Amino acid sequence: MRVGKADALGDLIGAQPRFTQIFLGLLHTQVCQIFHERLAGLLLEDRGKIAAADAQMLQQVRQLEIAVGIVRADILHRHPAAAGGRGVVPLRLALQDVALQPLDGQPDLLQRVFRLRQELLFKTYPVSPVREEQSQTVGLPRVLEFWDSMPFWSTFFRALGYRVKFSHPSSRRQYESGLQYVASDTICFPAKLVHGHVLDLSKQGVDRIFLPYILHMPTENKGEKSPYVCPVIMGYSMVVRNFQSPGEHFSVGFETPVFHWFSKQDRKRQICRYAVEHCGATKRQAEAAYRQAETAILSFRHQLVEEGKRVIADTGKAGGFAVVLAGRPYHTDPLINHDLSGMFTRRGIPVLTVDSLPGLEKADLRRSRVEITNDFHARMLSGAMVTAEQPCLEYVQIVSFGCGHDAILSDEIIRLLGEGSGKPPLILKVDESEAAGSLGIRVQSFIETVQLRRSAQAEQAACRLPEPYAVKYRKEDRKLRTVLVPNISAPVSTL
């Protein structure tokens, strides 16, 4: 589709520059109104109809708005005194040269990173059992930290000879089935989901459900010490044990080993010890199973990053932009994120997960002002820095209601992107309520803002972030000043 009658319209606009401004303003407003009415109607009627909606129409409207924005910018900024024939040529070129063609990619292809992540997360990796087949089945729920480590644990237990079952994908019915066991309504939605998944596994007839306490994890970023874990991941196994009591109510074993992984060596030693003490494996068998599990998780991460590289390269060549949907690993659960990835891909925007970005472990987090206490925070901040450096990337952070840690993190992400590249991120808070309509409108508004920003001005080149603490307390200052301050953060504790 191209804008029709460009010559006649160009002549009219060239003769009447004041009319031009009024016409374009009204057209721009009308396009926005029609688009939002259609979008809201689709979303509020039935989410299933979104996928079947007229994608071509949505794409044409979106690109027509870009054309209008370009023409308006051309007239008001580059040719403010356009009159007579002087305004005809630039306007005609703008109308004719903005190609309003549909994107080559389909929603499924544009969402390939999210789909690949789920496939890799729950696939069966190659395994060579280290001992004879065991009679028990281990249940692994699709919750919390397992959204980052499932390939490791599923491979580890299969290598030890166990059958492995996953809980079914999250659903509204599954969530509601576990509500009676939720101890506090103020806990985040991902935590509330745990009870439904535990109940689901018990109905599948597994012999034991594995949900460990993980209190510390090895640092992911090479230059940052961030060993702590979200309190929910740390202790929600205890909540399940005390309020849902799987052993008492469902007659199923509930395994909750306690892990403190300050280093990779700690992780290997503690997991192998668990296999020896609780699974009856020998030390050699446990170490062999661990090696296979480690191979699986490294393969998962490598394939994900390689796909991320391809999407970034393809997007850069096409001259468009892709969106990084950043959050904690469990925010890639479609029920938790309300299918946000689909809201972008149905509008022709490719999406990436934050852990599919290359170079996260090398990001210089010393430029951050917040104290980074866990790997998931380090990952999101690193993702913001990578997004600032990549011209074709934009950033969206998903936050769960009730997460106090992410409130501080969001402000720092806004600062990093603003000072590093001038790209304002979209911050979306989600919970268990059905919010597809309002989320869809915010997504569309964000897309329009990005498109207008990119079409109306040159992108700000990524720049080095300023020193977060410009004023230093140096050794020679000790003779002049005495500072009394509580030891509350890493920058302060170094004093």
Side-chain angles (χ1 to χ4, degrees):
M1 170 186 174
R2 292 181 181 272
V3 179
K5 302 186 181 301
D7 292 334
L9 185 58
D11 293 338
L12 175 61
I13 291 174
Q16 300 289 337
R18 176 59 181 164
F19 168 79
T20 299
Q21 299 177 15
I22 298 174
F23 169 78
L24 290 177
L26 291 174
L27 181 59
H28 184 273
T29 302
Q30 183 180 15
V31 167
C32 290
Q33 182 179 355
I34 293 173
F35 192 97
H36 282 299
E37 286 179 356
R38 179 175 175 83
L39 177 64
L42 287 170
L43 291 174
L44 294 176
E45 284 180 15
D46 184 358
R47 289 183 64 187
K49 291 183 180 180
I50 301 175
D54 187 357
Q56 180 68 25
M57 176 270 188
L58 295 177
Q59 182 68 11
Q60 289 175 355
V61 172
R62 180 176 71 83
Q63 293 185 342
L64 177 59
E65 187 176 10
I66 296 176
V68 171
I70 293 174
V71 175
R72 175 188 283 177
D74 182 74
I75 293 173
L76 298 182
H77 299 290
R78 292 172 53 194
H79 301 276
R86 287 182 297 169
V88 175
V89 175
L91 176 63
R92 184 179 297 139
L93 290 175
L95 289 172
Q96 291 179 339
D97 290 346
V98 177
L100 303 184
Q101 302 295 336
L103 293 178
D104 294 334
Q106 298 299 318
D108 285 349
L109 295 177
L110 300 175
Q111 201 172 187
R112 65 188 195 231
V113 174
F114 262 74
R115 295 185 182 277
L116 176 66
R117 191 183 196 282
Q118 289 210 42
E119 292 173 5
L120 294 176
L121 202 63
F122 302 108
K123 69 173 286 187
T124 300
Y125 287 82
V127 64
S128 298
V130 298
R131 59 178 182 174
E132 67 280 1
E133 183 178 347
Q134 303 297 299
S135 60
Q136 288 189 327
T137 298
V138 176
L140 301 176
R142 301 179 189 231
V143 298
L144 301 179
E145 200 274 336
F146 280 133
W147 279 91
D148 193 55
S149 63
M150 191 66 87
F152 178 92
W153 291 112
S154 61
T155 304
F156 180 71
F157 283 113
R158 288 190 178 105
L160 290 175
Y162 294 104
R163 294 183 297 274
V164 172
K165 284 187 177 182
F166 302 127
S167 57
H168 291 101
S170 300
S171 66
R172 192 76 187 178
R173 177 176 296 181
Q174 184 192 67
Y175 157 66
E176 292 174 351
S177 70
L179 277 178
Q180 59 184 311
Y181 304 110
V182 175
S184 172
D185 191 52
T186 59
I187 198 68
C188 63
F189 180 36
K192 295 176 183 177
L193 263 179
V194 174
H195 301 282
H197 281 272
V198 169
L199 182 60
D200 177 84
L201 285 172
S202 68
K203 291 179 179 178
Q204 292 189 49
V206 301
D207 299 290
R208 58 207 288 190
I209 297 174
F210 182 76
L211 189 63
Y213 298 92
I214 302 177
L215 304 183
H216 301 89
M217 297 176 67
T219 301
E220 193 172 85
N221 185 280
K222 293 181 179 179
E224 187 65 38
K225 295 187 181 299
S226 50
Y228 299 103
V229 182
C230 163
V232 173
I233 292 178
M234 278 188 185
Y236 212 73
S237 301
M238 182 184 299
V239 176
V240 174
R241 178 177 295 281
N242 289 302
F243 285 86
Q244 194 167 12
S245 304
E248 178 182 345
H249 293 153
F250 315 130
S251 300
V252 58
F254 191 55
E255 296 279 348
T256 59
V258 179
F259 294 132
H260 296 266
W261 301 332
F262 291 100
S263 66
K264 293 181 180 180
Q265 291 75 18
D266 289 336
R267 181 172 60 190
K268 179 179 180 180
R269 183 175 61 255
Q270 292 175 24
I271 291 176
C272 289
R273 184 173 61 194
Y274 164 79
V276 171
E277 296 177 357
H278 296 271
C279 301
T282 65
K283 182 180 179 181
R284 178 175 295 182
Q285 290 171 342
E287 290 178 347
Y290 183 92
R291 286 193 295 271
Q292 295 184 58
E294 188 76 2
T295 299
I297 193 65
L298 291 177
S299 173
F300 161 73
R301 290 171 179 161
H302 174 75
Q303 292 182 67
L304 196 60
V305 171
E306 288 301 308
E307 186 62 29
K309 290 180 181 177
R310 284 190 285 270
V311 171
I312 293 173
D314 293 346
T315 304
K317 290 178 183 178
F321 67 91
V323 167
V324 178
L325 291 185
R328 298 171 184 272
Y330 45 73
H331 284 130
T332 57
D333 185 329
L335 184 69
I336 292 175
N337 66 41
H338 298 277
D339 191 32
L340 272 173
S341 60
M343 293 183 187
F344 282 98
T345 57
R346 283 188 288 271
R347 292 160 178 78
I349 310 298
V351 292
L352 298 99
T353 61
V354 68
D355 54 352
S356 69
L357 296 176
L360 291 181
E361 70 283 355
K362 299 177 182 178
D364 185 6
L365 294 179
R366 293 174 299 177
R367 299 288 171 175
S368 174
R369 289 179 180 172
V370 300
E371 182 177 4
I372 303 170
T373 58
N374 71 67
D375 267 349
F376 297 157
H377 280 186
R379 189 180 294 178
M380 285 186 274
L381 291 170
S382 298
M385 291 184 174
V386 172
T387 300
E389 295 169 358
Q390 290 283 353
C392 66
L393 295 182
E394 299 289 341
Y395 196 94
V396 175
Q397 186 197 9
I398 307 172
V399 181
S400 290
F401 275 106
C403 184
H405 295 80
D406 283 358
I408 300 172
L409 189 69
S410 297
D411 289 341
E412 182 63 3
I413 286 173
I414 292 172
R415 185 190 73 85
L416 291 176
L417 284 165
E419 296 182 4
S421 64
K423 298 178 182 178
L426 173 63
I427 310 296
L428 293 174
K429 290 191 175 184
V430 296
D431 60 8
E432 61 268 32
S433 62
E434 287 289 348
S438 58
L439 285 176
I441 292 174
R442 288 200 64 191
V443 165
Q444 182 57 35
S445 298
F446 175 72
I447 293 174
E448 291 173 0
T449 300
V450 171
Q451 290 167 341
L452 290 175
R453 187 192 78 224
R454 285 173 171 263
S455 63
Q457 65 184 33
E459 287 296 302
Q460 176 181 328
C463 59
R464 183 174 175 81
L465 290 167
E467 172 64 45
Y469 300 98
V471 179
K472 305 294 183 182
Y473 183 76
R474 306 185 186 281
K475 186 176 182 180
E476 53 269 24
D477 293 330
R478 295 179 181 177
K479 298 179 181 179
L480 304 175
R481 300 178 179 87
T482 299
V483 178
L484 300 178
V485 52
N487 183 9
I488 56 174
S489 67
V492 172
S493 65
T494 57
L495 296 176

